[in-house]
Amino acid sequence: MKHLLITTFLSLAVYQGLAQQKTTNMLTSQERSKAVQLLQQTEAGVFAAVKGLSEAQLNFKPAADKWSVAECIKHIAAAEKELWAMAEPALSQPANPEKRTEIRFSDDDLVKAVEDRSRRSKTFTALEPANSPYQTVAEALTAFKAGREKLIALVKESNADLRNHIVVLPVGTYDSYQFILLIAAHSNRHTQQIDEVKAALNFPKQ
């Protein structure tokens, strides 16, 4: 009987320890480094893609139903702001790790899926370039950089439990850390789109 009680106690202690670990799962240094690197790389990619482009090049559209470089930039900046606005409120709510069972993507698979330009999808109406709050490319880039700096600082410095604050949206369920990766990957998706525009045969020479 005594042995049974000790075994039961130890089993319960292990279970409680695992449960506590799940609800206090702070980011590892590797996770922080991975997210910061992706955020910085994709930010640099956006700025490199538009560096030195003229107004004619920025506003060129390869087809009537295609976006220009300028429209891509306005979309990136607007999406950067609005996507995080969807996720950030979760951090002010109690952690909800029980929702982790609804997550369908690993971190790497999520990034790959978002960046994959062979899989096309229509954006939300609010994020269409025509509905962007930014009137110029310069304005959009300034807002994009400011938002990206806040995300990088969050990943580097915050003790928020990003893994156990789960974001449940109509488009899917992600933990808050994954949603930051999604935002970074999203900008890369549209940097690829910018490169496609620039590769058009009739893209202005200057």
Side-chain angles (χ1 to χ4, degrees):
M1 183 67 175
K2 182 177 180 181
H3 176 73
L4 178 61
L5 287 173
I6 292 173
T7 302
T8 302
F9 175 79
L10 289 175
S11 298
L12 181 60
V14 170
Y15 174 81
Q16 289 174 332
L18 290 173
Q20 183 179 22
Q21 186 179 39
K22 286 183 179 181
T23 57
T24 58
N25 185 17
M26 300 303 178
L27 295 183
T28 65
S29 58
Q30 291 84 0
E31 287 172 325
R32 290 184 194 273
S33 178
K34 177 179 180 178
V36 168
Q37 185 176 38
L38 185 62
L39 287 164
Q40 290 175 334
Q41 287 178 344
T42 54
E43 177 188 346
V46 169
F47 281 93
V50 300
K51 184 177 180 180
L53 295 186
S54 66
E55 284 297 314
Q57 291 170 325
L58 288 171
N59 293 302
F60 165 79
K61 299 180 69 167
D65 61 341
K66 302 292 185 181
W67 289 357
S68 66
V69 173
E71 288 174 323
C72 288
I73 293 297
K74 291 176 182 179
H75 169 73
I76 290 171
E80 195 91 358
K81 178 181 178 181
E82 294 302 321
L83 287 173
W84 184 239
M86 295 178 189
E88 188 175 26
L91 297 180
S92 62
Q93 301 297 318
N96 52 341
E98 70 280 0
K99 291 290 186 178
R100 292 198 62 82
T101 58
E102 299 177 21
I103 295 175
R104 297 291 176 259
F105 284 98
S106 70
D107 296 348
D108 290 341
D109 287 344
L110 175 62
V111 170
K112 289 176 183 177
V114 175
E115 291 182 340
D116 185 2
R117 288 279 300 157
S118 68
R119 300 170 63 182
R120 302 301 173 94
S121 60
K122 187 173 177 60
T123 191
F124 303 118
T125 301
L127 298 182
E128 290 281 352
N131 298 320
S132 172
Y134 309 112
Q135 299 302 309
T136 66
V137 169
E139 183 183 353
L141 287 173
T142 297
F144 167 69
K145 184 171 182 60
R148 190 54 64 93
E149 287 176 350
K150 288 180 181 179
L151 282 182
I152 291 172
L154 175 70
V155 174
K156 283 183 175 180
E157 302 165 9
S158 176
N159 290 322
D161 193 354
L162 297 176
R163 282 300 195 185
N164 285 318
H165 282 88
I166 312 304
V167 182
V168 181
L169 298 172
V171 294
T173 300
Y174 316 91
D175 65 44
S176 297
Y177 175 83
Q178 285 187 320
F179 210 79
I180 291 172
L181 299 182
L182 181 152
I183 290 172
H186 174 265
S187 68
N188 183 46
R189 178 182 181 87
H190 290 287
T191 300
Q192 294 177 61
Q193 185 179 6
I194 289 172
D195 290 338
E196 292 167 10
V197 175
K198 290 162 64 177
L201 291 176
N202 52 341
F203 184 72
K205 300 298 182 184
Q206 58 183 16

